[in-house]
Amino acid sequence: MRRELTERFSFTCPVCTWERGEPAPLELLVEREIDGDILSGHFRCPACPRRYPVIEGVAVLDPEPIRTSYDRPDLLQAYLWTHYADLSPELAGEEGGIRGNYFPEIAAQPVRGVVLDLGCNVGRTTFDLAGRAGFVLGIERSFETVKRAREIARSGRVAFHLKDEGDRGRYVDLDATGVVRENVEFVCGDAGALPLPPGVADAVLAANLLDRVRDPRLFLDRASRALRAEGLLLLTVPFTWREEFSPRERWLCEAERDGRRILLDWCEDHGFAAEEVTDLTLTIRNHKRFYELLRPVLVRARKSA
Ligand SMILES: C[S@@+](CC[C@H](N)C(=O)[O-])C[C@H]1O[C@@H](n2cnc3c(N)ncnc32)[C@H](O)[C@@H]1O
């Protein structure tokens, strides 16, 4: 975690901020730092007994850190391809040209100032939004993906083992210097209990996250409170509900209304004006002969003044 991050943001205890409604600024104790990058140490909350470690340069600001399927090597290589295959004409052409408009459409969103990219995985949207924003902070639950996103930011390279079929595969090493930006950082955290006080962000992106959190309505409520007045809420949602992530009774899916309608009604009921509603296309590569085609809806909504 770069030291300048603590000068830019006043991190607060996620539990005191969102459960007790009393944002307590965290105190940082550094154990090892090289060239302004804090590699180990911990944050401590002055108001409760909680401590949040910095491990291998990753600040783990999640009150309940868990390993999920997104930490697994097979999903990590799938997302590295999905986020960065366009850097190699050879890789990008393999699926027959159905890569989709997901990343270009997100990159074109009119953000400015401080942006939070929640559930950023290996960081492509974080870097892309940094082209327009002042600073983008990626907050992600999977430690392995945060570690990888930080490596990409520091090295300007995306190197990994790409699965072809079964145990067969190849090593790829892509030049990402055209994509990587300085004005980003990545931390581990829970998008439903952010380590930041309300009202810090000019824009919040949650790309394909809503159907992966335990309580989607609670998440929407807290994400919207993280925004300043007139801030932008950017959601992409493929509505792929699974009980392993969200209990069925919390799915945004009703007999009378589909997820897109429920989202738009939520915006109206919570003082957000929808500015754009578009269907996107995204390809996720499992292996050389198995791609998934997703059709998430993108909703861009502005918080009232
Ligand atoms: C479907 S992936 C989408 C990744 C990326 N945003 C994209 O569009 O390619 C969902 C991501 O959200 C992360 N995630 C799930 N629950 C989370 C939570 N409560 N807080 C932060 N990240 C979370 C997962 O680890 C995973 O990286």
Side-chain angles (χ1 to χ4, degrees):
M1 185 195 72
R2 298 214 309 273
R3 181 171 277 281
E4 67 156 293
L5 194 64
T6 57
E7 288 147 19
R8 192 175 282 277
F9 292 98
S10 172
F11 287 110
T12 57
C13 174
V15 178
C16 292
T17 305
W18 299 98
E19 302 291 331
R20 299 177 41 222
E22 289 170 19
L26 295 174
E27 297 163 358
L28 174 64
L29 280 97
V30 176
E31 278 161 20
R32 195 158 155 257
E33 178 173 352
I34 298 179
D35 295 336
D37 201 12
I38 297 164
L39 300 177
S40 64
H42 65 266
F43 287 91
R44 94 172 246 288
C45 176
C48 75
R50 288 184 181 77
R51 284 170 175 238
Y52 302 92
V54 181
I55 300 170
E56 296 184 69
V58 176
V60 184
L61 297 163
D62 188 337
E64 289 173 24
I66 48 166
R67 303 287 284 185
T68 71
S69 46
Y70 291 96
D71 288 293
R72 285 195 334 237
D74 57 331
L75 225 53
L76 188 61
Q77 64 91 36
Y79 272 88
L80 285 165
W81 181 93
T82 300
H83 282 210
Y84 297 105
D86 64 318
L87 301 180
S88 151
E90 185 204 328
L91 290 188
E94 271 184 358
E95 91 293 20
I98 47 162
R99 201 174 141 69
N101 62 353
Y102 181 82
F103 292 103
E105 288 290 330
I106 292 174
Q109 291 301 314
V111 298
R112 61 176 185 82
V114 171
V115 180
L116 305 181
D117 184 356
L118 308 182
C120 59
N121 202 272
V122 286
R124 180 58 184 268
T125 51
T126 319
F127 292 124
D128 284 349
L129 290 181
R132 288 166 195 268
F135 192 89
V136 189
L137 179 62
I139 303 181
E140 162 58 60
R141 199 141 215 199
S142 147
F143 180 86
E144 297 304 329
T145 64
V146 174
K147 209 170 117 190
R148 187 55 77 105
R150 275 182 39 85
E151 267 166 35
I152 294 167
R154 276 174 304 156
S155 66
R157 302 213 65 93
V158 183
F160 62 107
H161 186 261
L162 182 68
K163 178 171 164 175
D164 280 337
E165 5 174 320
D167 289 331
R168 284 174 61 96
R170 38 198 157 130
Y171 286 99
V172 295
D173 184 359
L174 311 176
D175 177 3
T177 46
V179 166
V180 162
R181 306 246 169 200
E182 287 278 304
N183 51 333
V184 304
E185 182 54 285
F186 301 91
V187 298
C188 244
D190 178 2
L194 293 172
L196 291 165
V200 287
D202 296 291
V204 168
L205 169 69
N208 292 3
L209 173 65
L210 193 64
D211 52 7
R212 290 290 168 269
V213 297
R214 221 181 138 61
D215 189 338
R217 285 184 188 277
L218 181 69
F219 165 75
L220 284 173
D221 177 57
R222 291 188 174 174
S224 66
R225 283 166 59 201
L227 281 168
R228 299 186 215 284
E230 297 186 66
L232 277 185
L233 183 61
L234 297 164
L235 301 169
T236 75
V237 194
F239 299 109
T240 312
W241 300 110
R242 285 203 198 137
E243 283 193 292
E244 69 178 286
F245 297 113
S246 342
R248 186 173 286 264
E249 62 276 13
R250 296 208 173 126
W251 296 359
L252 305 186
C253 180
E254 297 167 3
E256 303 299 320
R257 296 186 301 168
D258 65 5
R260 180 178 176 281
R261 185 69 260 156
I262 294 174
L263 265 192
L264 293 176
D265 289 348
W266 182 93
C267 287
E268 211 177 305
D269 295 346
H270 291 80
F272 279 79
E275 291 183 348
E276 185 184 348
V277 184
T278 322
D279 289 326
L280 304 179
T281 305
L282 167 69
T283 316
I284 296 182
R285 181 191 190 275
N286 288 280
H287 62 74
K288 196 173 176 178
R289 298 188 182 279
F290 175 19
Y291 295 85
E292 289 174 274
L293 184 68
L294 279 64
R295 297 283 288 142
V297 65
L298 177 145
V299 174
R300 182 177 79 241
R302 193 172 292 277
K303 192 172 177 174
S304 57

